[in-house]
Amino acid sequence: MSVLTIEKLTASVGAEITGIDTDRLLSEDLAGPILDALEHNGVLVIPGLHLAPEAQVAFGRRLGEVDYSPGHHPVAGIYRVTLDKSKNSSANKLKATFDWHIDGCTPTGDEYPQMATILSAKAVSDKGGETEFASSYAAYDRLSDDEKERFASLRVVHSLEASQSRVTPDPDPETLTRWRSWPSSEHPLIWTHRSGRRSLVLGASADYVVGMDRAEGRAILDDLLTRATEPAHVYRHQWSVGDTVIWDNRGVLHRAAPYDHSSPREMLRTTVLGDEPIK
Ligand code: OGA
Ligand code: MN
């Protein structure tokens, strides 16, 4: 019998874990079973866990290496996700979470893409603010054989400018310079994982297809993203304070449903770094 009680939330993405509290999460060696469940379900929901920030970072460390970049929060390893500028001076940038994306597609250096993101709800919005998930493995599996072959060699440039310009279409010159100083990354459209599984690398950061007419390449990227994220293939998490959700950036796309900019919604995020290149 598995040490975890797991129930699938949709056919292709998401599962809920019940019967677990912080003590169990940290005292037993659950890292192996949780990583397994994450790989197979893409998203794990632990409702009402009320994980303290320090415990969240300790849990993240059980799964892998944690990103300790400054996060507008007193606890190292926590990044505060909120549109409230008094709580996060870079809040504006977070509007890009309203578009489908994969965390870590545009690293500052040659780091591998982020493996998992752990998000806990500290405050929720009255309206909107759900987080939606779609499997990028399943999106690949649904392609026709002809498409799998046609897309096998395509490479895509991902940039911060591509994702930010969707939410801030008219940046001032200073902002544009800042976006452009961020290095862009080139990834294959189809990621062949160590496990042998394949997934599509898509989302707001995907700018253009290398060596292809811009419009033609955009049409392919837009069509693939639309199909990957059809409502029938999406798990939508409706947050309550204290919920923790973990997702696997190797195999899921995600986005936040719009919420009011003055909403108190506040999520605490811990990023577990990856150890596998996109190839
Ligand atoms: C993120 C993110 C979604 C949300 O923190 O990377 O995409 O619902 N968050 O806040
Ligand atoms: Mn994200």
Side-chain angles (χ1 to χ4, degrees):
M1 207 188 97
S2 165
V3 291
L4 293 171
T5 307
I6 293 185
E7 211 169 305
K8 276 195 175 295
L9 292 163
T10 74
S12 62
V13 70
E16 183 171 296
I17 301 182
T18 48
I20 203 165
D21 59 16
T22 301
D23 280 353
R24 243 196 109 205
L25 200 62
L26 296 179
S27 65
E28 280 181 47
D29 195 3
L30 283 185
I34 285 186
L35 285 171
D36 247 26
L38 189 60
E39 158 115 44
H40 286 104
N41 298 287
V43 179
L44 299 177
V45 174
I46 313 178
L49 182 63
H50 294 279
L51 194 59
E54 294 82 357
Q56 176 164 310
V57 178
F59 170 60
R61 291 188 57 178
R62 294 209 161 215
L63 303 185
E65 246 185 86
V66 162
D67 180 2
Y68 287 108
S69 312
H72 312 274
H73 192 277
V75 175
I78 295 284
Y79 186 96
R80 208 194 294 263
V81 176
T82 173
L83 295 181
D84 182 344
K85 284 195 189 116
S86 70
K87 290 185 169 165
N88 178 341
S89 52
S90 313
N92 228 12
K93 232 174 124 177
L94 288 166
K95 289 181 194 155
T97 59
F98 295 147
D99 284 311
W100 287 104
H101 66 283
I102 297 173
D103 293 338
C105 272
T106 53
T108 44
D110 53 5
E111 309 94 279
Y112 296 147
Q114 301 169 2
M115 191 262 277
T117 305
I118 307 168
L119 201 65
S120 295
K122 194 164 181 298
V124 299
S125 54
D126 292 341
K127 251 176 57 197
E130 301 89 348
T131 309
E132 298 185 314
F133 300 93
S135 168
S136 56
Y137 289 124
Y140 172 81
D141 294 339
R142 289 194 301 269
L143 297 181
S144 68
D145 289 344
D146 172 57
E147 286 175 317
K148 286 178 182 168
E149 206 176 299
R150 266 195 298 132
F151 298 152
S153 60
L154 296 191
R155 297 185 65 80
V156 177
V157 170
H158 291 249
S159 70
L160 184 72
E161 184 179 347
S163 52
Q164 290 295 323
S165 59
R166 286 164 183 263
V167 283
T168 309
D170 265 321
D172 55 51
E174 197 186 311
T175 305
L176 191 61
T177 305
R178 190 154 34 81
W179 292 347
R180 290 191 174 162
S181 68
W182 194 278
S184 57
S185 300
E186 189 181 308
H187 301 302
L189 174 61
I190 297 170
W191 182 352
T192 304
H193 298 255
R194 258 191 321 230
S195 61
R197 295 170 84 190
R198 289 190 169 86
S199 68
L200 294 180
V201 184
L202 293 169
S205 62
D207 195 353
Y208 61 91
V209 178
V210 177
M212 192 180 273
D213 170 74
R214 284 269 175 154
E216 196 184 334
R218 276 287 1 141
I220 292 175
L221 295 173
D222 293 345
D223 173 56
L224 289 178
L225 185 64
T226 303
R227 288 159 57 190
T229 58
E230 268 169 30
H233 302 302
V234 167
Y235 169 65
R236 174 174 249 238
H237 186 69
Q238 175 107 43
W239 292 93
S240 296
V241 171
D243 289 353
T244 292
V245 173
I246 311 160
W247 66 86
D248 184 344
N249 286 297
R250 296 166 303 186
V252 295
L253 286 147
H254 64 282
R255 72 170 175 188
Y259 51 94
D260 202 82
H261 291 182
S262 61
S263 153
R265 187 184 194 268
E266 184 178 341
M267 302 280 160
L268 300 186
R269 177 173 82 195
T270 298
T271 299
V272 180
L273 300 172
D275 62 357
E276 193 188 337
I278 301 183
K279 54 178 217 175

